[in-house]
Amino acid sequence: MTDTPAPVDDAAVLDHRDREPESTRLDQAIDRARKALLARQRADGHWCFEFETDCTISAEYILMMHFLDEIDDVLQAKLARYIRLKQGLDTHGGWPLYQDGVIDVSCTVKAYYALKAAGDDAEAPHMRRARDAILGLGGAARSNVFTRILLAMFEQVPWRAAPYVPVEIMLFPRWAPFHLDKVSYWARATMVPLFILCSLKARARNPRRIGVPELFVTPPEQERRYFSTSGFASRCFLLLDKIGRACDPLVPRALRQKAVKKAEQWILSRLNGEDGLGAIFPPMVNALEAMDLLGYAKDHPARATCLKSLQKLIVHCADGTAYCQPCVSPVWDTGWAAMALLRASGDEATQAAVQRALAWLAPLQELDVKGDWAVQAPSVAPGGWAFQYANAYFPDLDDTALVAGLLHVAVLGTPQEGIYRARIERAADWLVGMQSDNGGFAAFDRNNTHYHINQIPFADHGAMLDPPTEDVSGRVLACLGVLKRAQDRVAIERCVAYLKTAQQPDGSYWGRWGTNYIYGTWSVLAGLALVGEDLQQPWIRKSIDWLVSKQHADGGWGETNDSYFRPALRGSNGGISTAHNTAWALLGLLAVGEHDSEPVRRGIQWLLDDQQANGEREEGLWYHPSFNAPGFPRVFFLKYHGYTAYFPLWALTRYRRLMKTMPAPGTR
């Protein structure tokens, strides 16, 4: 969060050597990266890099157009071209959740259906290859709940293939085993419009009558194994599912109408303008389709605005393809880009760019709306930032910690400090108020730990909750450490205690929002260092030693998304280094005073060697095709295009600044 140098031990001072040639190259690399990043700043002061995911979202966009009978054939062709290019024709024949991943049956079913809807012949070689792969995995019946709901709406499976999710859930009291307040923000926002679609058994218009019966091993009407029956809790929920389904015809019409109306009002109150419901694709598309089902005309302002929010997620690529982003990341990108540039150069242009970024970020703080988070923190005043341009009901602790820390570091001791001080204090108060009872911090909610909910049939993706996580806790800790407010001492101590218990036996930390243990370990080490923890404590040294042990022979670091499925792979990537993982590892080591160590020197050298040269796609920055974060671990992955732009630059800048603070050789 800050460029305040960590303490340097005597041994490091005595081992200091002349590095003028390295320094020259380092300065040149920082300068190239600085200029490249500045060139990507938008006129109003912010950055927003592309935000890519697997083909699920783009496929769903195509199918949404067929659901509504609002097909843009030009856009459809671009989306289909993108989907075709992502097929693993030389490996498994389907579509993975991330670059070089194994086939995912749900993603492959949606991609196949979207391509067929876009006009691809089912007997074309790429379609046959995909179909064979799906059938080899048990067919479309083995796809996840959300895919089966989509197939039910397109009349490809019976509604019993989808879980029974009556809209009357909207009327449940808070003490019920399941309540909207007990699930994560993304689940809540996705589910409410789905309640309407499922309860009213929505039917896609599907004007071209495209179906995919060929994707089933057993005909859908005859299939009896749509749900897993493993585990006692799962079997209990399935029993309740059957009872509810049998009783559904007995639900009074007036009660259903009341529940539908409540769901509708919930959606409309959180529609969020052209930034969309929840500011993420799944709730937005579900809301649009629910409005269509409820009879909203195409020109109704709410429906038209909802469609516009979806259209704004489309990225048109230079190669003639297009894809749909799951959301946009301007606050996150702007915060990290400004942090990377803050100490990259003292020249007027760079510092003016940072000030423009701060001026853009500050007014996006939510100071008025008490969003859904307030259910668990009713006495706390709003003060957070969202991840997106606007998302008033769902601000993000991770972004808030980043922006508040950045504002503090950037303006401390300057004439601008008075402009932002009240905002920084408000943000810190909100963060502390959002601390969960176990001492950790989650992304959007407090005490969102009703773990039984992950056992319900609707939750086969295992991402219904937003419990405290190590990486977010580390980020909040870093922010509070930078601010050094006396009133936060108890919150800091509780968070440190939580992090002690969350540490893996080998010293690493899981990364909920970045891939994976390297990201988590960096986040935690930075926080611990900034709150003044003794870094020589054995448990902290264990984390430092783990990071060092995962360095590759070439000097870099890398981690595969497979580590979310197989924790034994944590910190490894088959020897392949990536710029984002290398930057995170370096930032972790730099935070704890390891800047003059051999592993850090080798890591810096790797970044210098990997920087894109003249004529390469990201000239002056870094590039790697791998996905670098989970949306939901094990089911949904992301590629932040900005991660190979600002994190390596920040690592190089931090290294240069820390090395310049070291005493000259032979002095103390």
Side-chain angles (χ1 to χ4, degrees), residues 495-516:
C495 187
V496 171
Y498 159 79
L499 290 172
K500 266 189 177 181
T501 65
Q503 188 182 44
Q504 299 294 316
D506 62 4
S508 64
Y509 283 91
W510 185 65
R512 168 60 181 87
W513 297 101
T515 304
N516 176 353

Side-chain angles (χ1 to χ4, degrees), residues 489-667:
R489 199 64 239 172
V490 173
I492 288 170
E493 290 170 358
R494 292 178 58 221
C495 187
V496 171
Y498 159 79
L499 290 172
K500 266 189 177 181
T501 65
Q503 188 182 44
Q504 299 294 316
D506 62 4
S508 64
Y509 283 91
W510 185 65
R512 168 60 181 87
W513 297 101
T515 304
N516 176 353
Y517 293 88
I518 292 175
Y519 180 90
T521 305
W522 154 57
S523 302
V524 171
L525 285 177
L528 293 173
L530 286 166
V531 296
E533 280 292 306
D534 178 0
L535 302 176
Q536 298 308 313
Q537 294 177 81
W539 69 282
I540 297 178
R541 283 305 318 177
K542 185 184 284 190
S543 296
I544 297 169
D545 293 342
W546 180 85
L547 265 185
V548 171
S549 74
K550 294 302 176 181
Q551 187 170 29
H552 292 156
D554 63 5
W557 281 263
E559 184 164 3
T560 172
N561 286 296
D562 293 347
S563 61
Y564 286 102
F565 302 90
R566 297 166 57 197
L569 295 175
R570 54 179 168 264
S572 67
N573 195 34
I576 298 172
S577 299
T578 63
H580 54 277
N581 281 126
T582 300
W584 295 335
L586 286 169
L587 288 166
L589 294 174
L590 292 172
V592 295
E594 296 287 315
H595 42 282
D596 198 39
S597 68
E598 185 62 24
V600 166
R601 283 196 291 272
R602 292 176 58 226
I604 293 294
Q605 185 65 48
W606 188 91
L607 283 181
L608 295 178
D609 292 341
D610 191 60
Q611 188 176 30
Q612 299 284 284
N614 294 343
E616 294 185 286
R617 60 184 302 162
E618 295 288 349
E619 183 178 331
L621 299 177
W622 290 261
Y623 172 78
H624 197 273
S626 61
F627 281 35
N628 45 38
F632 311 130
R634 304 196 307 142
V635 295
F636 186 62
F637 291 83
L638 306 164
K639 180 181 179 180
Y640 290 77
H641 285 239
Y643 278 12
T644 50
Y646 38 72
F647 284 124
L649 172 59
W650 190 31
L652 294 179
T653 301
R654 283 278 289 147
Y655 174 71
R656 181 175 68 179
R657 185 171 174 81
L658 290 171
M659 292 303 291
K660 284 184 176 179
T661 65
M662 291 186 62
T667 65

